[in-house]
Amino acid sequence: MSDEIYDDFALERIAKDEFGVDVDISQVIVRQIEVSRTAKATVFLTKKKQLMVFVSGHSKLLFSDVKKIVVRMGLKPEVYFPPKGQPDYFDRIGRDKFKSVFPGRGHVSDADIVFYRTLAPYNPALILINEVKDGHIYQYDSDARDGWRVAAKFAYRRIKTS
């Protein structure tokens, strides 16, 4: 029990230090589940009733990897939090990668960098979730037929208020 409390405090600290987001964890839905061969995820509710996912791994994770992981977990993302103090992190990395591939292009539009944004390193990752698609949160399982199995049953849909 005390290890879980320390894990929650550590997660709150990481969210504050790495992403600049104040998070007060009220309930952890699933803790440190496998989401790939090298990455783990924790799904939790904040005291403001927001569902969030924290993904971290031992190897390099790209923004595209994290997006794919979140969708395969059965979650619908709303906000991918960039690193603290870098609100345009994904766009900046996307522009740099685009310019390295096409050095002669002068004007770079947002449509040009859609793919290159996904090449940004994103480990650890913090995501605000809009809904759990079918009431199940999935985890990676190499023995399962489709590679994923149910980790927890949990119904959630965020209702926007003004």
Side-chain angles (χ1 to χ4, degrees):
M1 180 68 179
S2 64
D3 289 340
E4 292 177 355
I5 293 171
Y6 289 127
D7 288 345
D8 293 351
F9 285 136
L11 193 55
E12 290 173 0
R13 173 70 58 143
I14 290 170
K16 177 78 171 163
D17 294 345
E18 297 282 329
F19 302 100
V21 178
D22 284 326
V23 173
D24 288 328
I25 297 174
S26 68
Q27 177 186 2
V28 175
I29 309 305
V30 289
R31 187 183 306 276
Q32 294 290 314
I33 59 170
E34 301 278 333
V35 291
S36 77
R37 294 191 189 276
T38 60
K40 295 185 183 275
T42 300
V43 180
F44 59 93
L45 272 173
T46 66
K47 293 198 174 171
K48 295 179 181 178
K49 302 298 182 203
Q50 295 174 319
L51 187 67
M52 298 184 126
V53 178
F54 176 76
V55 179
S56 64
H58 297 294
S59 64
K60 185 172 116 175
L61 288 174
L62 300 178
F63 185 40
S64 61
D65 299 330
V66 172
K67 288 171 86 171
K68 191 180 296 184
I69 285 169
V70 169
V71 169
R72 288 192 177 161
M73 287 177 70
L75 306 173
K76 186 174 177 186
E78 184 170 339
V79 177
Y80 292 94
F81 291 104
K84 182 178 180 179
Q86 303 179 47
D88 63 341
Y89 173 74
F90 300 115
D91 290 335
R92 183 177 47 80
I93 298 289
R95 288 186 195 288
D96 293 345
K97 300 252 183 209
F98 183 85
K99 287 182 180 180
S100 69
V101 173
F102 302 104
R105 293 274 306 264
H107 176 70
V108 179
S109 69
D110 289 339
D112 292 334
I113 63 167
V114 168
F115 168 73
Y116 296 95
R117 291 178 77 227
T118 64
L119 301 177
Y122 196 39
N123 186 16
L126 184 65
I127 304 101
L128 178 65
I129 299 301
N130 191 15
E131 73 176 278
V132 178
K133 289 183 186 170
D134 63 353
H136 296 98
I137 298 172
Y138 294 92
Q139 75 179 42
Y140 176 75
D141 184 3
S142 60
D143 293 334
R145 184 167 30 103
D146 63 350
W148 292 82
R149 67 177 170 89
V150 175
K153 291 182 179 182
F154 186 74
Y156 178 86
R157 176 174 287 145
R158 187 159 178 216
I159 300 171
K160 294 199 180 209
T161 58
S162 56

